Amino acid sequence: MIANNINNNDNNNNIKNNEAYLNCDIKLNQLLSDTEPIGTIGSPSSTSEISLNILQNAVTKKLIGELVIFRYIQESRSHYSLGQITEIELKNVLLEDPTIKSVARQRGLVNPISGIQDTHVGKLLCSAVFSNNDEENFFDTSLLGTVPATGTYIHVTNDNILNSLLEKHLDKIFYLGYVYGSQTKLPMWFKHFGNGIEGAGEAYHLGIFGTTGSGKSTLAKMILMAYSKYPEMGLFVFDPVGEFSKDIMFDNPNGLNHRPKNNDFNLNIKEILKSLGKKFEIVNIRNLILDRWELFEEILYESSFFPNLSIKGENKRDAVSVLINEIKNRLHISLTNLVELEAFQQVLDILRNPNIQLLIYSTAEPRARLNTVLSEIDENYLYERFWKPICQLFHYRPGAQTVDSLLKRFTNNEKPLVIVDLSLQSAHHLKLDYWNETIQALILKRILYGLINLGEKSWQQNISLNTLVVLDEAHRFARREKYENSDLENLRITLLDAVRTTRKYGLGWMFISTSLSSVHKDILQQLRIMFCGFGLSLGSDLATLKELVSDHNALKLYQSFTDPASSFSTKSRKYSFMSQGPVSPLSFAGTPLFLNVFNSSETFVKENKLLSYTKKSISNSLTYTQDNYDF
């Protein structure tokens, strides 16, 4: 400890001789001198991995995952390197001798060898290096270009040290949680995809992976709140299971403390968005006007319209194709006019046509049965119960909007957060009994094409679309294997092509999945930012993770994550993640960072001051169509 004080005093004296260091450098050194060191740099060490000799006062402390810092001289200037401890190893060379091992086996404890001769050696993965900026006197990024001398003291960081290092950037910092196993907040930043001081200048693709219950959906919502701080950035969420729309539609006038009890992380997204002045909208199939014949064909095929006419099985697909071909090419009825009663009468006339019936049935008996049904069925019932509800999805109606008009909002200077609820629960609530994954995929593909075309037009005008598209349950639509279903396969190909080409448009993608190995490799290789939660430590998921994260010690630390469900209470539950990519000012070296995400919404909101913004007039912020009309 005396040697450490002498070392720090010498450092401070040297620093005072150079006026360029007079402010931030001295302040940081003072903070370090007030912090008890936990170890020194040992041998062997390299620029990629530092060996850490644990001091006696720290051997009983929990050090795995701790973010530490050490000062060293490079190019005659003070540098500060930060990293996380990924491994602690106990060594006792004397106990490794076969004779001593035999004694230990008999006595258990060998005095004065056991305990006394133990050495604790750690592995330190350096993730960031800072040096003082001579001109403006703040810390700037640097690199570990040399190996510091053995004996260099290593300190555990704290919030004050990190705030001192990042003093000029604190207004851009966002917190998702704490350094893994610590109470020090891990600074992160999420820049929008446009230009400017707070912009990244390009779009990023993100990925969040982890088993069910690992906290990935909660993390995704927190990241959405980070991006929502930028009015010029658009957010488009595809919600195939209703996870996001259910949270945002919950109207809670009493604030954060009265959320549903079955939700551990009670984040009031609506209140936060209102405080940020971010316009947001929830769209489901009822308030979205569909505009593609392929969608009409699939919905008609999945509905009960043809079974009510005794047309079933393979003949149903033939009947759909023939009918739509006649409507489009002979009758020239538009999609928006199919809902009219006159159009329905013409449809029945087509089905009564003997030549059309021959294209559906090759034998006389089923044709006779079809004619019998057509002559006896209640046409008004067939129209009101089956035909009209389908066709109204393609018809202009109160409170509904086209896909193009929805996407046009992302060309404005202030872009919204839009959640498209395509969940089965939402469809059943709307009495759409024919809803399935194929229809879901077709609507997704329609919107994706619209977004890609919008991005391309913006790029041609030298404008960044500056939009992030979030796809939950990504393994269902962007898997590695081909689909037998042509519609799902077309959607998969569309996603793969979009990931490769849309970054230059300012259009980024966030993929959320329970499995890493199920998502297509081309998508994984394009991810700039990745979060991996608990549950990827076995089988093909682990093999894929090893391909994406090369550092052996980082993978070992990831494999030590505990299942959040194993906690005794929700308060003690830990949602651990390994992050990789330019998501933190402490990870510009490309090495992974480990964090425990906040398990309290109040803490998350407080640390990021999400409810302290000046509230704007956003009376039309939340838009969704009430179910005040019938199909």
Side-chain angles (χ1 to χ4, degrees):
M1 188 66 187
I2 294 174
N4 177 47
N5 289 333
I6 294 173
N7 188 12
N8 284 324
N9 289 333
D10 290 341
N11 289 340
N12 289 335
N13 290 333
N14 292 332
I15 289 168
K16 289 177 182 178
N17 292 331
N18 189 337
E19 292 185 359
Y21 295 105
L22 271 178
N23 290 323
C24 61
D25 208 42
I26 288 181
K27 179 181 177 181
L28 182 56
N29 267 271
Q30 182 60 50
L31 290 171
L32 290 180
S33 66
D34 294 340
T35 306
E36 188 176 25
I38 53 99
T40 61
I41 291 180
S43 178
S45 291
S46 67
T47 53
S48 59
E49 184 178 83
I50 300 294
S51 180
L52 173 63
N53 292 329
I54 308 298
L55 296 177
Q56 181 64 36
N57 63 287
V59 294
T60 58
K61 294 181 179 180
K62 184 205 66 59
L63 297 176
I64 284 293
E66 282 285 3
L67 185 67
V68 296
I69 182 172
F70 61 87
R71 175 187 178 272
Y72 68 101
I73 301 298
Q74 182 175 295
E75 298 289 343
S76 302
R77 299 175 60 189
S78 292
H79 282 64
Y80 300 87
S81 181
L82 294 97
Q84 284 185 281
I85 299 175
T86 57
E87 182 182 17
I88 300 291
E89 182 181 16
L90 169 67
K91 289 186 177 181
N92 191 320
V93 177
L94 294 178
L95 276 178
E96 293 175 9
D97 181 87
T99 303
I100 304 299
K101 280 186 176 180
S102 177
V103 175
R105 185 175 67 249
Q106 297 175 11
R107 298 183 180 180
L109 187 67
V110 181
N111 291 319
I113 296 175
S114 298
I116 305 299
Q117 301 297 326
D118 290 350
T119 59
H120 292 75
V121 180
K123 298 292 183 182
L124 175 60
L125 194 63
C126 292
S127 59
V129 179
F130 294 88
S131 65
N132 190 50
N133 185 302
D134 292 336
E135 297 178 358
E136 302 183 34
N137 198 30
F138 68 90
F139 290 107
D140 206 349
T141 59
S142 184
L143 56 86
L144 188 64
T146 184
V147 181
T150 56
T152 300
Y153 283 99
I154 296 177
H155 304 258
V156 174
T157 60
N158 54 42
D159 290 334
N160 291 332
I161 290 174
L162 294 181
N163 289 342
S164 179
L165 274 172
L166 304 171
E167 186 174 1
K168 298 294 183 180
H169 308 283
L170 290 179
D171 59 330
K172 305 179 187 68
I173 296 301
F174 198 85
Y175 297 105
L176 297 178
Y178 303 104
V179 173
Y180 180 73
S182 171
Q183 287 302 306
T184 301
K185 299 190 296 292
L186 182 62
M188 312 196 88
W189 51 22
F190 296 90
K191 301 179 180 180
H192 65 77
F193 300 155
N195 298 314
I197 298 176
E198 296 182 322
E202 62 175 348
Y204 287 163
H205 300 326
L206 299 86
I208 302 177
F209 306 96
T211 189
T212 301
S214 62
K216 61 183 183 301
S217 295
T218 297
L219 180 63
K221 294 168 192 172
M222 295 165 76
I223 293 174
L224 279 176
M225 296 303 97
Y227 282 124
S228 293
K229 294 171 68 175
Y230 305 112
E232 67 269 41
M233 184 172 185
L235 300 165
F236 202 104
V237 181
F238 288 113
D239 195 9
V241 295
E243 172 78 22
F244 293 86
S245 55
K246 183 173 68 174
D247 268 16
I248 200 171
M249 286 184 72
F250 181 83
D251 195 2
N252 182 11
N254 298 318
L256 293 169
N257 297 322
H258 296 83
R259 302 288 289 166
K261 292 183 179 181
N262 62 346
N263 189 347
D264 295 336
F265 193 85
N266 304 320
L267 186 64
N268 194 327
I269 296 177
K270 182 189 293 187
E271 186 68 20
I272 293 172
L273 292 174
K274 286 182 177 180
S275 179
L276 295 174
K278 187 73 171 179
K279 292 187 176 182
F280 52 99
E281 182 172 356
I282 299 171
V283 178
N284 59 37
I285 189 62
R286 174 162 281 185
N287 47 49
L288 190 65
I289 300 172
L290 306 181
D291 56 1
R292 291 293 185 269
W293 279 102
E294 60 181 351
L295 268 170
F296 177 75
E297 180 177 349
E298 189 61 33
I299 292 174
L300 185 62
Y301 174 78
E302 294 295 338
S303 72
S304 300
F305 177 76
F306 282 108
N308 273 273
L309 296 174
S310 77
I311 302 176
K312 302 177 182 179
E314 296 179 359
N315 302 104
K316 186 167 67 166
R317 179 61 72 183
D318 295 333
V320 172
S321 299
V322 170
L323 179 62
I324 290 179
N325 183 65
E326 287 290 304
I327 292 173
K328 289 168 59 178
N329 300 323
R330 190 170 65 83
L331 300 180
H332 302 290
I333 301 176
S334 66
L335 270 171
T336 58
N337 293 329
L338 283 175
V339 72
E340 297 175 0
L341 183 60
E342 182 182 351
F344 173 70
Q345 294 293 342
Q346 290 178 297
V347 166
L348 293 184
D349 290 341
I350 292 172
L351 294 175
R352 291 188 180 101
N353 188 322
N355 295 326
I356 298 299
Q357 292 179 359
L358 276 172
L359 296 175
I360 301 173
Y361 292 114
S362 58
T363 56
E365 183 179 347
R367 293 199 301 271
R369 185 175 64 248
L370 173 59
N371 284 320
T372 301
V373 172
L374 286 170
S375 63
E376 296 177 352
I377 196 167
D378 184 343
E379 293 184 6
N380 186 61
Y381 170 77
L382 188 65
Y383 171 71
E384 292 290 343
R385 180 65 179 85
F386 300 105
W387 183 261
K388 184 179 178 181
I390 296 172
C391 296
Q392 278 197 310
L393 295 174
F394 300 82
H395 182 66
Y396 293 101
R397 54 194 185 274
Q401 60 186 318
T402 64
V403 173
D404 288 335
S405 63
L406 175 66
L407 297 181
K408 191 175 180 181
R409 301 184 185 188
F410 290 86
T411 62
N412 300 330
N413 292 329
E414 291 193 11
K415 298 179 174 63
L417 163 62
V418 172
I419 299 176
V420 180
D421 183 5
L422 299 176
S423 64
L424 184 64
Q425 295 88 342
S426 174
H428 284 175
H429 175 68
L430 301 174
K431 299 179 181 179
L432 306 179
D433 298 330
Y434 46 77
W435 192 258
N436 65 13
E437 193 173 55
T438 301
I439 297 172
Q440 198 177 61
L442 285 169
I443 296 174
L444 271 174
K445 189 175 72 169
R446 166 65 184 99
I447 298 174
L448 289 182
Y449 274 135
L451 280 168
I452 294 169
N453 291 334
L454 191 65
E456 187 173 3
K457 291 178 181 178
S458 298
W459 178 67
Q460 291 172 351
Q461 298 171 8
N462 294 320
I463 299 173
S464 171
L465 192 58
N466 200 357
T467 296
L468 176 68
V469 182
V470 180
L471 180 60
D472 197 9
E473 299 289 308
H475 53 275
R476 290 171 52 186
F477 307 105
R479 71 181 192 183
R480 296 194 179 193
E481 300 81 11
K482 291 184 177 180
Y483 291 95
E484 293 183 4
N485 184 305
S486 60
D487 294 313
L488 289 171
E489 178 61 17
N490 288 334
L491 174 61
R492 187 180 79 107
I493 294 172
T494 302
L495 282 169
L496 294 177
D497 183 64
V499 168
R500 298 188 190 105
T501 60
T502 61
R503 279 187 59 197
K504 61 183 179 182
Y505 304 155
L507 184 60
W509 302 81
M510 179 194 289
F511 297 93
I512 307 171
S513 176
T514 56
S515 172
L516 191 62
S517 59
S518 298
V519 178
H520 200 281
K521 272 189 174 183
D522 287 357
I523 289 178
L524 298 178
Q525 291 170 356
Q526 294 289 334
L527 298 179
R528 285 292 306 278
I529 296 173
M530 185 172 66
F531 291 89
C532 295
F534 174 80
L536 308 175
S537 297
L538 297 173
S540 56
D541 281 333
L542 180 59
T544 305
L545 190 59
K546 288 180 178 179
E547 294 177 6
L548 299 172
V549 181
S550 58
D551 188 87
H552 175 68
N553 289 326
L555 286 172
K556 287 171 64 175
L557 181 54
Y558 167 77
Q559 289 178 286
S560 70
F561 285 179
T562 57
D563 189 345
S566 64
S567 301
F568 291 135
S569 66
T570 56
K571 290 184 178 180
S572 63
R573 191 166 292 175
K574 304 293 184 186
Y575 296 97
S576 303
F577 283 87
M578 175 177 65
S579 70
Q580 188 169 19
V583 71
S584 170
L586 306 184
S587 65
F588 55 79
T591 54
L593 285 178
F594 297 82
L595 72 151
N596 287 331
V597 173
F598 294 128
N599 62 0
S600 163
S601 59
E602 288 84 354
T603 304
F604 170 68
V605 170
K606 178 182 176 182
E607 293 296 344
N608 294 293
K609 302 178 177 63
L610 291 176
L611 294 181
S612 62
Y613 285 80
T614 302
K615 295 191 177 184
K616 303 177 182 179
S617 176
I618 49 171
S619 58
N620 295 324
S621 287
L622 178 61
T623 307
Y624 59 94
T625 304
Q626 299 291 334
D627 300 334
N628 55 3
Y629 53 88
D630 297 323
F631 281 1

